[in-house]
Amino acid sequence: MSSYQPLHEGWTVSGADVSGLPAIVPGSVHTDLLRAGRIDDPYLDENETKLAWIGRTDWHYETTFTATPGRRTDLVCAGLDTIAEIELNGSLVGETANMHRGYRFDVGPLLRDGANELKVKFKSAYAYAEGQQQRLGHRPNAYGEPFNFIRKQACNFGWDWGPTLVTAGIWQPIGLETWSVARLAEVRPQVTVNKGTGRVELRVRLDRAADEPVVITAEVAGRRAQATVDGIEALLIVTVDDPDRWWPRGFGEQARYDLGVTLAAADGTVLDTWTRKIGFRSVRVDTADDGWTVIVNDVPVFVRGINWIPDDVFADRVTRERLAARFRQAADANVNYLRVWGGGRYESFDFYDLADEMGFLVGQDFLFACAAYPEEEPFRSEIEAEARENVVRLASHPSLVVWTGNNENLWGYEDWGWKPELNGRTWGSGFYYDLLPRVVAELDPTRPYWPGSPYSGTPERYPNDPVYGTTHIWDVWNTDDYTKYAAYRPRFVSEFGFQAPPTFSTLRRSISDEHLAPDSPGMAHHQKAIGGDQKLERGLTNHLPVPRDFDDWHFLTQLNQARAVAFGIEHFRSLRPLCQGTIMWQLNDCWPVTSWAAVDGDGRKKLLWYAMRDAYADRLLTFQPRTGAAVEAGGPLTDIEPGSVVPPQGTPALIVANDSRTEWAVSTTVTRRDLTGRILAAADLTATVAPGENATLTLPTELSTPGDPGTEFLTTDTGVTWFWALDKDIPWPAPDYTTEVTSDGGVHRVTVHAKTLLRSLTLFPDRLAPTAEPDRAAVTVLPGDSVTFAVRSDEPLDAKALTTRPVLRCVNDIPAH
């Protein structure tokens, strides 16, 4: 039987003026230096700027271990970051040049009986990347750093939401595997289900140390297949009658089966084993009508997705428990799809195992983002090896439903001025249109491949045309108001979003500015988007009252982000079946920063999270403008002045979107009211909506036509609202209300009784205790009604502080200027 000896103890790291510093493996230089007090926390204030030297330094890791030479022994490096030479007992073992793959070296002849010395010498990532750039010629990218000239996590070099912290280190497990005769080098299950029969085609590749027959046995759900093998490859097929299906969340249970593979010698001696959990399900993407529809087990799934970035710059800090907490936040927000973005990393076993367990669908980008990538050696060979390893590694996971070739590179080539800069040099098209689809077709033919995000279905089309395939919508954030989302009629939106600062307690933990302001030093440093604050200001100016101070600004920017993304999601959902999914940018952050995230870098929910939860509900009611004409693919409108608010195109209708698996009998009362809450018109609307379908309920004229658009609004009896005027233009009444606070254990219940209309009433209890979290946010309360917030907190909360500014807020507590 093979054996594995982890080599995770006794490491030291040296470089620059650091010598023999104790190191944690797996880990990174940054976390070792931070643990030893040699650097300040790079996530705080402007400390990041002091640490550029780390990425420009060569680092040497060393350890000693004992071993007994004998059978075949391999040094197994699951992940080295990134350009490394490995020495054992003074002899060169091998070299690595790719963070995104593992390496294995036969070190048996170099081992000593007793003490052994192992060194891993990392070359500066900058030195390598800049050397390759000089050798191969300039390739444009979005951020001016040479991340496209090294197979390393691109966002380590900084992004418009991330710090520039160029890491180095042994970031994945490292150890010795000792074996004899043969070992399981690759086990690749292709799991399908057709007409009630589950089928596992198991392709096995062996490494051999001896030329003798071996026996491979595969077993799943009590069914077994066996083969005697003389060579290095084998195919075993196991069929299972009527297996329970694996379904995405909201569609059924996540049934999984244990798949076990055993390698044995001819005499029955077990040489190696392999186990995974698999799920029986079918998946395809339907592009027959130029759209993009995910179909699982022959059922179309409307994608309610989020984009996922690395949850921490330093991968060793992302534990299974941390991933589980983030996944629970996604599930509680009614998300069913995670897109792993191409500037990060191929995610871990824990990530995919949790996705399998919880029923998330996952789209995995190959790791290319926002840049032109050279196709010459050594990159072509490294990228093929990287792709092959990760496609095989992830093949067993039922949650993985699509491979995507890159993030925004096809779009960048066509639209970002790259062509004259490249002047005929390679830029990555050979990867996206040839190499990667060939690898997927060979190794993982049960899953679809899509060349890029965005992509319009054929290289002959403009890649970001919303009429076809998948699209990214970023003019809204960069130049236009969020009401422009309504001008789009896309088939599938795989990126769109709007910024806001993190929660107040996260700001206060990470920024020590005496007086917080958008342009105070720490705040400015934690805004990485070019012109980000000006874009935030544009959004506020278009929609909301003028903030008097930072407290107002913080509340209103978070509220505007929440409204912007919810506006987009609800519009896109209302277009079904024309549009079959949205993936908002982004769920999470990797550090405390002003960004597009719904959950900030400390894991706290921003107002966006609550709005996303409501907009992604299985059953959605939303007012949307309709003209009565059929909705056709297209957009945006071409006559929109950048930055201007786009007025609704048509009269409001009530859209019913049913993503539940049961029929929805809708019955709601819609009223038109004035700002005092007085009912001006009312009507009862009903509909029966089948699973996976939408319905449009036309409002009677007395509801859809306001007497005074500036002071009237629509509302359902479930609290869905439509305002004809913008908040900044509405003569809101001064807020008048009473409050009650009760406490039971760690839950504080804050009840607000409204005497006047309260627009987007919100609690920010984290201002009182960092762990305090409300169950809802941005609730519009009618005069005479009440709302109760349940606030969970690990600490006691002061009742008076809970019910006064800046903890309890509404739009109309900010007087008009």
Side-chain angles (χ1 to χ4, degrees):
M1 180 73 174
S2 66
S3 63
Y4 181 78
Q5 177 186 350
L7 300 178
H8 294 163
E9 303 298 326
W11 287 93
T12 62
V13 62
S14 302
D17 63 347
V18 177
S19 179
L21 185 74
I24 299 295
V25 170
S28 74
V29 169
H30 284 80
T31 50
D32 290 331
L33 294 171
L34 181 61
R35 190 179 302 109
R38 298 295 296 267
I39 60 173
D40 294 326
D41 189 334
Y43 290 2
L44 304 184
D45 294 320
E46 301 170 69
N47 294 340
E48 169 205 351
T49 60
K50 307 173 187 176
L51 305 181
W53 62 274
I54 297 175
R56 295 192 174 277
T57 299
D58 294 345
W59 296 96
H60 295 175
Y61 280 74
E62 301 181 34
T63 191
T64 59
F65 63 91
T66 58
T68 302
R71 299 183 299 165
R72 167 71 181 263
T73 301
D74 294 342
L75 177 66
V76 182
C77 308
L80 299 177
D81 180 14
T82 294
I83 309 302
E85 291 183 352
I86 303 164
E87 292 181 1
L88 179 60
N89 296 325
S91 296
L92 179 66
V93 170
E95 299 178 348
T96 74
N98 193 331
M99 176 182 178
H100 303 308
R101 57 169 290 211
Y103 295 82
R104 176 182 289 265
F105 306 99
D106 179 3
V107 295
L110 299 177
L111 284 173
R112 299 170 180 165
D113 190 2
N116 291 266
E117 298 178 356
L118 179 62
K119 297 182 180 181
V120 183
K121 300 179 178 180
F122 291 98
K123 182 178 180 180
S124 159
Y126 272 114
Y128 177 87
E130 290 167 352
Q132 294 293 335
Q133 185 178 45
Q134 184 175 12
R135 181 177 71 88
L136 296 172
H138 172 71
R139 304 296 198 285
N141 69 52
Y143 298 105
E145 295 268 339
F147 63 82
N148 46 338
F149 287 91
I150 185 171
R151 294 312 295 160
K152 175 176 171 56
Q153 184 169 295
C155 60
N156 276 174
F157 290 85
W159 223 259
D160 54 4
W161 40 258
T164 302
L165 295 168
V166 177
T167 55
I170 304 170
W171 78 285
Q172 294 276 45
I174 186 171
L176 296 175
E177 182 179 357
T178 301
W179 54 282
S180 62
V181 184
R183 58 174 292 273
L184 296 169
E186 181 178 295
V187 179
R188 179 164 49 92
Q190 294 177 11
V191 184
T192 57
V193 59
N194 184 35
K195 296 181 180 180
T197 300
R199 179 182 174 93
V200 182
E201 294 188 10
L202 196 69
R203 288 166 170 79
V204 179
R205 183 174 59 80
L206 304 177
D207 283 343
R208 280 188 169 274
D211 186 15
E212 61 184 70
V214 292
V215 178
I216 303 173
T217 305
E219 186 170 359
V220 61
R223 304 296 297 271
R224 172 181 291 196
Q226 192 171 80
T228 300
V229 181
D230 293 313
I232 63 169
E233 292 186 346
L235 170 64
L236 290 81
I237 298 175
V238 185
T239 59
V240 179
D241 294 332
D242 196 25
D244 293 332
R245 303 269 184 124
W246 183 96
W247 288 94
R249 53 184 304 105
F251 286 76
E253 298 300 315
Q254 289 75 53
R256 293 194 290 169
Y257 292 81
D258 292 320
L259 171 62
V261 179
T262 302
L263 176 68
D267 63 2
T269 302
V270 174
L271 303 173
D272 203 357
T273 60
W274 181 97
T275 60
R276 289 290 188 279
K277 288 184 179 293
I278 62 170
F280 289 96
R281 59 98 181 98
S282 63
V283 62
R284 59 190 171 92
V285 174
D286 183 0
T287 61
D289 65 346
D290 292 323
W292 207 83
T293 304
V294 176
I295 297 179
V296 181
N297 296 329
D298 296 323
V299 177
V301 177
F302 188 93
V303 166
R304 294 174 283 167
I306 55 90
N307 281 274
W308 175 272
I309 66 169
D311 206 52
D312 199 292
V313 173
F314 309 116
D316 54 296
R317 303 206 294 206
V318 183
T319 61
R320 186 181 179 93
E321 292 71 24
R322 179 164 166 173
L323 288 170
R326 206 68 67 243
F327 278 30
R328 176 49 53 196
Q329 290 170 324
D332 289 346
N334 299 308
V335 166
N336 63 13
Y337 190 103
L338 314 175
R339 176 195 171 214
V340 183
W341 168 75
R345 49 183 175 254
Y346 301 102
E347 276 295 345
S348 65
F349 171 82
D350 285 334
F351 179 100
Y352 274 94
D353 189 54
L354 286 166
D356 293 344
E357 178 184 303
M358 297 178 70
F360 289 107
L361 301 175
V362 181
Q364 173 73 61
D365 284 8
F366 286 101
L367 299 186
F368 305 89
C370 301
Y373 285 79
E375 299 176 36
E376 291 82 356
E377 294 294 348
F379 295 107
R380 185 173 183 83
S381 294
E382 279 296 338
I383 286 163
E384 180 166 1
E386 164 194 321
R388 287 180 172 278
E389 177 177 315
N390 285 284
V391 168
V392 170
R393 180 174 69 87
L394 300 177
S396 63
H397 294 284
S399 57
L400 177 60
V401 294
V402 65
W403 288 99
T404 301
N406 71 87
N407 174 77
E408 297 191 343
N409 294 349
L410 305 178
W411 183 22
Y413 181 73
E414 290 296 331
D415 218 24
W416 298 356
W418 290 4
K419 292 180 182 179
E421 286 190 66
L422 287 166
N423 194 27
R425 288 189 289 271
T426 59
W427 59 277
S429 60
F431 300 144
Y432 318 136
Y433 293 128
D434 179 24
L435 175 62
L436 297 176
R438 281 195 291 105
V439 169
V440 172
E442 175 191 344
L443 301 179
D444 196 14
T446 68
R447 288 185 179 88
Y449 170 84
W450 195 244
S453 184
Y455 183 63
S456 294
T458 172
E460 284 70 44
R461 291 184 185 134
Y462 176 67
N464 198 28
D465 188 336
V467 175
Y468 309 102
T470 61
T471 193
H472 291 191
I473 300 177
W474 282 115
D475 53 0
V476 164
W477 164 250
N478 286 314
T479 58
D480 296 307
D481 187 74
Y482 70 72
T483 55
K484 189 178 180 181
Y485 285 134
Y488 280 88
R489 296 169 299 282
R491 309 309 306 276
F492 189 99
V493 188
S494 48
E495 277 191 25
F496 68 105
F498 210 87
Q499 265 202 354
T503 61
F504 189 83
S505 53
T506 295
L507 284 178
R508 265 299 166 219
R509 185 194 69 80
S510 58
I511 296 171
S512 60
D513 298 346
E514 183 177 357
H515 299 291
L516 288 174
D519 59 353
S520 61
M523 284 291 297
H525 184 74
H526 288 247
Q527 166 62 276
K528 294 295 187 177
I530 297 172
D533 287 341
Q534 291 72 36
K535 295 169 185 177
L536 289 174
E537 182 65 24
R538 184 190 69 234
L540 293 185
T541 301
N542 282 350
H543 288 274
L544 291 162
V546 177
R548 296 162 293 180
D549 53 23
F550 184 81
D551 292 334
D552 284 357
W553 180 88
H554 184 263
F555 165 47
L556 293 178
T557 50
Q558 283 222 355
L559 179 63
N560 210 44
Q561 178 191 38
R563 288 191 185 174
V565 176
F567 183 96
I569 290 174
E570 293 185 14
H571 167 65
F572 301 139
R573 286 189 70 182
S574 80
L575 299 177
R576 186 173 56 187
L578 178 76
C579 178
Q580 285 291 351
T582 76
I583 309 178
M584 61 80 66
W585 185 273
Q586 66 215 64
L587 176 71
N588 58 326
D589 270 326
C590 63
W591 75 313
V593 64
T594 296
S595 85
W596 298 263
V599 177
D600 72 21
D602 282 2
R604 298 187 177 95
K605 299 169 183 174
K606 295 157 66 170
L607 292 196
L608 170 56
W609 182 89
Y610 298 91
M612 180 173 69
R613 177 188 63 183
D614 296 343
Y616 273 160
D618 286 348
R619 293 176 166 181
L620 174 71
L621 292 178
T622 176
F623 289 110
Q624 294 290 326
R626 289 294 183 263
T627 62
V631 178
E632 297 180 355
L637 299 178
T638 57
D639 57 352
I640 298 172
E641 182 179 347
S644 63
V645 177
V646 182
Q649 304 296 306
T651 56
L654 189 63
I655 309 297
V656 183
N658 184 13
D659 272 343
S660 73
R661 304 315 302 153
T662 57
E663 187 176 81
W664 185 12
V666 179
S667 179
T668 187
T669 300
V670 179
T671 57
R672 177 167 59 87
R673 299 173 183 252
D674 64 18
L675 295 180
T676 70
R678 181 168 60 100
I679 296 176
L680 305 175
D684 295 327
L685 300 181
T686 60
T688 300
V689 184
E693 293 189 3
N694 283 11
T696 300
L697 306 185
T698 302
L699 303 181
T701 303
E702 61 268 24
L703 285 178
S704 62
T705 306
D708 179 2
T711 61
E712 296 177 16
F713 63 100
L714 299 175
T715 184
T716 68
D717 52 13
T718 56
V720 179
T721 59
W722 164 283
F723 286 83
W724 278 277
L726 303 170
D727 285 55
K728 68 185 180 71
D729 299 326
I730 295 175
W732 298 109
D736 190 7
Y737 54 87
T738 61
T739 59
E740 297 173 6
V741 179
T742 61
S743 299
D744 181 13
V747 179
H748 302 262
R749 301 191 182 278
V750 181
T751 300
V752 179
H753 305 278
K755 297 181 180 180
T756 61
L757 182 69
L758 303 176
R759 178 64 165 148
S760 298
L761 186 71
T762 302
L763 269 176
F764 293 98
D766 68 292
R767 284 176 167 265
L768 306 179
T771 61
E773 179 180 283
D775 66 335
R776 63 187 66 192
V779 182
T780 294
V781 190
L782 300 178
D785 286 354
S786 301
V787 64
T788 298
F789 298 87
V791 179
R792 296 189 177 275
S793 176
D794 294 338
E795 305 175 35
L797 302 177
D798 178 78
K800 182 177 181 181
L802 262 177
T803 56
T804 54
R805 185 182 189 273
V807 176
L808 184 63
R809 301 303 309 268
C810 62
V811 170
N812 43 319
D813 72 20
I814 302 172
H817 282 48

